[in-house]
Amino acid sequence: TSGQAAEPAPMLLSPQQEQEFYLNLQAGNESETLQIVQRLLLQLNKRSASSAQFYHFAEEIIQKTVKTLTSMQVAFHHLTTPVPLQERLSCCYSYEQLSSFLDEFLRAATELVNKKKGERDPITAFVVEYLEQHYDGDITLDLIADKLGITSGYLSTYFKDKTGVNFIDFLNDLRIRKAKEMLLYSNCKIQEVARKAGYQNMNSFNRMFKKFSGITPGEFRKSPSYGQGIRDSIVKKEA
């Protein structure tokens, strides 16, 4: 009914959940992306959410996915044809159907992301590989541009053009992801995590962590719901 449609969703993605969703989708991590969404769907189900609330949540996931694909310059028009996503969503009449629809949609989206990543040119591939191997060091755009024999200005424009992300944002995103892994799976003190992730200044680390996660490093480490969800998924994979 119209009254149902106006009903607010009891739970949208928190800043932390939203960031994790974006990071995993951008990285093409299919299982992690699906787990985040399925975990939230399950919480909605436990809260006996209305159909309108489920649709509101699904619409948010679709919107954030499309936004991510657009920013990465990933062609996704075939995901919306011949039947538009909204029309397909409106045909879901049960929790199982909605869950299946989002699963199918996100699997297709992460597949497109991975195909796009596979099309990377040599320059972008070199930059990404170098950052993955040296993120804990003193990295500058000038340093990498010099290794490639091009100007930093050209590399900055080129990298943004190919990835849809600024060089410095890509580097900080990578460093914060590595920091999260250490916070969850090691006993390192936060100061040590910051240093190992490439931050010599704690203020810079805290500022960047909050920018990319919505919470502080200490709050992230103490977060039982997210931390346990990640650990559970790892245990299942290893079982």
Side-chain angles (χ1 to χ4, degrees):
T1 66
S2 58
Q4 278 184 312
E7 195 176 351
M11 177 195 65
L12 298 176
L13 274 70
S14 68
Q16 180 188 6
Q17 292 164 336
E18 184 173 338
Q19 188 63 24
E20 292 303 322
F21 177 77
Y22 279 138
L23 290 178
N24 281 294
L25 181 57
Q26 288 172 342
N29 295 332
E30 179 186 291
S31 61
E32 288 81 358
T33 302
L34 295 179
Q35 284 167 10
I36 292 169
V37 173
Q38 291 301 330
R39 190 158 60 242
L40 292 171
L41 271 177
L42 186 60
Q43 288 178 31
L44 278 173
N45 198 38
K46 286 181 178 178
R47 294 183 184 191
S48 300
S50 68
S51 58
Q53 291 168 336
F54 273 107
Y55 287 143
H56 187 79
F57 171 76
E59 286 172 345
E60 182 181 9
I61 293 300
I62 291 172
Q63 180 185 33
K64 293 184 186 306
T65 301
V66 168
K67 178 183 176 182
T68 301
L69 296 178
T70 301
S71 71
M72 296 180 71
Q73 300 179 326
V74 174
F76 61 89
H77 63 277
H78 72 280
L79 293 184
T80 61
T81 56
V83 182
L85 291 170
Q86 285 293 64
E87 188 176 332
R88 291 168 59 193
L89 177 59
S90 67
C91 291
C92 296
Y93 301 110
S94 67
Y95 172 86
E96 290 74 19
Q97 288 177 338
L98 184 64
S99 175
S100 178
F101 163 71
L102 287 177
D103 257 17
E104 180 186 347
F105 171 65
L106 292 172
R107 286 181 195 280
T110 52
E111 183 180 352
L112 288 177
V113 168
N114 285 315
K115 283 184 178 178
K116 179 72 173 181
K117 289 168 64 181
E119 295 169 0
R120 273 193 196 135
D121 60 283
I123 291 179
T124 307
F126 176 84
V127 174
V128 172
E129 184 177 350
Y130 187 88
L131 295 181
E132 286 278 359
Q133 294 176 356
H134 303 90
Y135 65 88
D136 57 339
D138 185 15
I139 296 177
T140 64
L141 189 64
D142 287 332
L143 172 70
I144 298 181
D146 186 57
K147 290 182 178 295
L148 287 165
I150 57 180
T151 67
S152 58
Y154 177 79
L155 178 58
S156 177
T157 302
Y158 190 93
F159 189 81
K160 174 67 182 292
D161 229 23
K162 294 293 183 181
T163 65
V165 183
N166 288 321
F167 172 83
I168 192 64
D169 285 341
F170 187 94
L171 174 57
N172 281 312
D173 177 20
L174 172 63
R175 282 173 164 169
I176 296 306
R177 280 192 283 121
K178 297 296 184 181
K180 286 178 178 178
E181 291 175 9
M182 287 184 272
L183 287 170
L184 285 173
Y185 305 119
S186 79
N187 294 319
C188 293
K189 293 182 178 179
I190 291 179
Q191 290 86 346
E192 187 179 356
V193 168
R195 182 181 57 77
K196 288 184 175 182
Y199 295 98
Q200 302 306 316
N201 183 295
M202 278 302 297
N203 288 334
S204 295
F205 175 61
N206 287 328
R207 185 174 66 254
M208 285 300 161
F209 199 99
K210 188 152 191 178
K211 175 183 176 181
F212 284 89
S213 302
I215 56 176
T216 67
E219 289 170 336
F220 180 84
R221 173 167 263 176
K222 292 175 183 176
S223 172
S225 58
Y226 184 74
Q228 190 59 47
I230 291 290
R231 293 186 183 95
D232 287 348
S233 70
I234 296 298
V235 170
K236 288 178 183 177
K237 285 181 183 178
E238 292 176 347

